[in-house]
Amino acid sequence: MKLGPLWLKIQVACGDALAMGPGKADLLEAIITEGSISGAGRALGMSYRRAWLLVDEMNRCFDPVLVDTLKGGGLERGAKVSATGLAVLEAYREMEREAAAIAERPAYARLRTHIRDQPVTND
Amino acid sequence: MKLGPLWLKIQVACGDALAMGPGKADLLEAIITEGSISGAGRALGMSYRRAWLLVDEMNRCFDPVLVDTLKGGGLERGAKVSATGLAVLEAYREMEREAAAIAERPAYARLRTHIRDQPVTND
């Protein structure tokens, strides 16, 4: 997440896989809105293959799975974020809000004291 | 920073440049230890060119600069982290410690409830 010039990225690993991160959280939200993996991918400017791989990686990391895919209908068949998916998404967003508190703390203010608005150029 | 399976990344932008982040903080520490950009690059398994570009990007983002390079002596000439560099590094590490507090909070515990130790395989 971007808080002005402060960028925070939270990822949760599961063995060699990435269980949750900013792209996967956005994808869960898009599946809720769009009702399918292909629609969610389109909404995020992502290929169907990429969206499907992200869902597959998430689902392999959680029990029960975060996204239930409905049988039949080809690429446009529906997908639904499970109750676990909703709980994990909510927990992830709460972690982001908690981490965002550092933007209000003295350490960041100290760092900003010395930073330029724009980098100087070398020429 | 990695807190077990929880990975946190904090970056601070300055216009189109990245003023500070995990790689640059590690590089500052290596310059303190090694006394030169080339030595720091070697210690981090990084090319001299890459280390120099990271120092240049940092220095263009801060006033005064974070790393003072000493004249003469070619690639092995010394480099010194400035008082501002030490203050910025300290502030960045404090931001990391502050953000790391999310590992102890209920949201992360809720997310972990559902996560597997290892991803299941598709075959």
Side-chain angles (χ1 to χ4, degrees), chain A residues 5 7 11 13 61 110 116, chain B residues 5 7 11 13 61 94 110 116:
Chain A
W7 302 352
Q11 293 177 306
C61 291
R110 287 203 304 279
R116 295 176 183 272
Chain B
W7 301 353
Q11 293 176 306
C61 292
E94 185 169 332
R110 288 204 303 281
R116 296 176 183 273

Side-chain angles (χ1 to χ4, degrees), chain B residues 49-104:
Chain B
R49 178 180 160 75
R50 167 114 181 109
W52 187 89
L53 286 172
L54 290 174
V55 168
D56 181 63
E57 188 175 22
M58 274 192 276
N59 274 352
R60 291 189 295 106
C61 292
F62 288 93
D63 182 25
V65 298
L66 304 193
V67 178
D68 291 310
T69 51
L70 310 178
K71 305 291 181 195
L75 288 191
E76 297 296 329
R77 70 176 180 277
K80 196 167 184 302
V81 175
S82 68
T84 304
L86 294 173
V88 165
L89 176 61
E90 184 275 330
Y92 179 80
R93 293 302 189 203
E94 185 169 332
M95 291 169 70
E96 284 192 319
R97 288 192 297 273
E98 288 168 354
I102 69 171
E104 310 300 328

Side-chain angles (χ1 to χ4, degrees), chain B residues 2 8 20-21 28 32 34 37 58-59 62 72 78 83 93 105 110 118:
Chain B
K2 298 194 178 187
L8 294 177
M20 191 48 55
L28 286 178
I32 294 169
E34 303 294 330
I37 295 172
M58 274 192 276
N59 274 352
F62 288 93
R93 293 302 189 203
R105 305 268 304 159
R110 288 204 303 281
Q118 291 290 330

Side-chain angles (χ1 to χ4, degrees), chain A:
Chain A
M1 70 189 316
K2 297 195 178 186
L3 304 155
L6 177 60
W7 302 352
L8 293 176
K9 186 176 185 177
I10 300 172
Q11 293 177 306
V12 183
C14 166
D16 290 336
L18 279 172
M20 190 48 55
K24 292 186 173 77
D26 289 349
L27 184 58
L28 286 178
E29 286 172 353
I31 292 170
I32 293 169
T33 307
E34 303 294 331
S36 69
I37 295 172
S38 55
R42 265 197 307 277
L44 296 173
M46 187 185 289
S47 70
Y48 174 74
R49 177 179 161 75
R50 167 112 181 111
W52 188 89
L53 286 172
L54 290 174
V55 167
D56 180 63
E57 189 175 22
M58 275 191 275
N59 274 353
R60 289 189 294 107
C61 291
F62 288 93
D63 182 24
V65 298
L66 304 194
V67 178
D68 291 310
T69 51
L70 310 177
K71 305 292 182 194
L75 288 192
E76 298 296 330
R77 71 177 179 276
K80 197 168 184 299
V81 175
S82 69
T84 303
L86 294 173
V88 166
L89 176 61
E90 185 275 331
Y92 180 80
R93 293 303 188 203
E94 185 168 330
M95 291 169 69
E96 284 192 318
R97 288 192 297 274
E98 288 168 354
I102 68 171
E104 312 299 330
R105 304 270 303 160
Y108 182 47
R110 287 203 304 279
L111 189 151
R112 270 184 312 180
T113 307
H114 305 290
I115 204 166
R116 295 176 183 272
D117 291 331
Q118 291 289 329
V120 293
T121 54
N122 281 323
D123 43 40

